[in-house]
Amino acid sequence: MLSKIAPSAGKLLISEPFLSDPNFKRSVVLLADHGEEGTLGFILNQPSNLILKDLVPDLWEADYPVFIGGPVEVDTIHFIHRCYDKMASGEEIAKGIYWGGNFETLKILVNSNSIQPHEVKFFLGYSGWSPLQLDEEIEQNTWIVSGQYHPDVVFAHNEEELWREVIINLGPKYAHISNFPSDPNLN
């Protein structure tokens, strides 16, 4: 078993290099909730072709990128942020990282340019696991769990390099994985 860290809110899930599921290939998932009822998280490095104002018309200046949070309920919008001081709402899932909050307040802050793209990240849908499903996938080495990362990683817009960067950040034991090709036949 690669990962010795238990999944919990605020931890990152890093897919193993050869995961063939197109929803999670080379993905980094921020866990927002993990408990008896299951697990919920958001893929941090799967941008969509949409920007926020495409989805919410009354956010007329919102050129914020929208990410694919996962394959579940892709007709819903979710967000994480690091501006509790401005929002006064949201559930802290990691030090300085909040999930959700008052969307009406967020819209006012976005329209008044009081929040910048590096402070908030939007997702279509989410990633979900039934009770014990994620634990089984971790046991099968599908995921590495990490709790060591800088909050800037969560809000970064270097999607293509994020998976590799997070793997390298795990230390020498895992760094070699970052150089594996996405298709083992190319080796």
Side-chain angles (χ1 to χ4, degrees):
M1 183 168 159
L2 287 175
S3 184
K4 302 286 188 218
I5 299 172
S8 64
K11 298 284 193 309
L12 295 179
L13 289 181
I14 306 154
S15 68
E16 64 92 4
F18 304 122
L19 183 63
S20 61
D21 181 335
N23 294 308
F24 296 109
K25 186 174 185 175
R26 300 257 166 149
S27 64
V28 177
V29 178
L30 173 66
L31 295 181
D33 190 27
H34 177 76
E36 292 179 11
E37 295 180 19
T39 305
L40 182 143
F42 303 103
I43 302 172
L44 297 173
N45 59 333
Q46 241 184 49
S48 74
N49 294 324
L50 300 167
I51 55 175
L52 188 59
K53 68 182 177 184
D54 293 337
L55 301 170
V56 185
D58 52 343
L59 290 173
W60 52 88
E61 294 295 325
D63 290 331
Y64 297 72
V66 177
F67 293 79
I68 305 298
V72 183
E73 293 188 20
V74 293
D75 59 343
T76 59
I77 298 174
H78 304 268
F79 66 97
I80 57 173
H81 63 90
R82 58 175 168 186
C83 49
Y84 190 87
D85 57 327
K86 299 173 188 176
M87 293 276 303
S89 64
E91 179 181 336
E92 189 170 33
I93 57 175
K95 186 171 173 59
I97 300 173
Y98 299 85
W99 169 31
N102 185 309
F103 197 69
E104 293 305 313
T105 300
L106 180 64
K107 287 179 4 182
I108 292 167
L109 293 168
V110 167
N111 280 335
S112 66
N113 291 319
S114 299
I115 291 183
Q116 301 306 312
H118 68 275
E119 296 177 291
V120 63
K121 200 164 194 173
F122 296 91
F123 303 93
L124 283 176
Y126 62 90
S127 300
W129 292 265
S130 61
L132 302 179
Q133 179 185 2
L134 180 58
D135 297 312
E136 291 169 8
E137 290 181 15
I138 291 169
E139 195 66 37
Q140 296 166 355
N141 294 324
T142 302
W143 299 101
I144 300 168
V145 181
S146 174
Q148 59 186 62
Y149 61 91
H150 192 280
D152 288 348
V153 165
V154 172
F155 297 93
H157 293 286
N158 61 339
E159 298 80 29
E160 288 187 29
E161 285 296 313
L162 184 61
W163 180 85
R164 188 173 191 280
E165 182 181 320
V166 172
I167 291 282
I168 290 170
N169 190 45
L170 292 173
K173 179 179 175 184
Y174 297 99
H176 69 283
I177 295 172
S178 70
N179 294 318
F180 287 2
S182 58
D183 181 348
N185 294 322
L186 297 176
N187 210 5

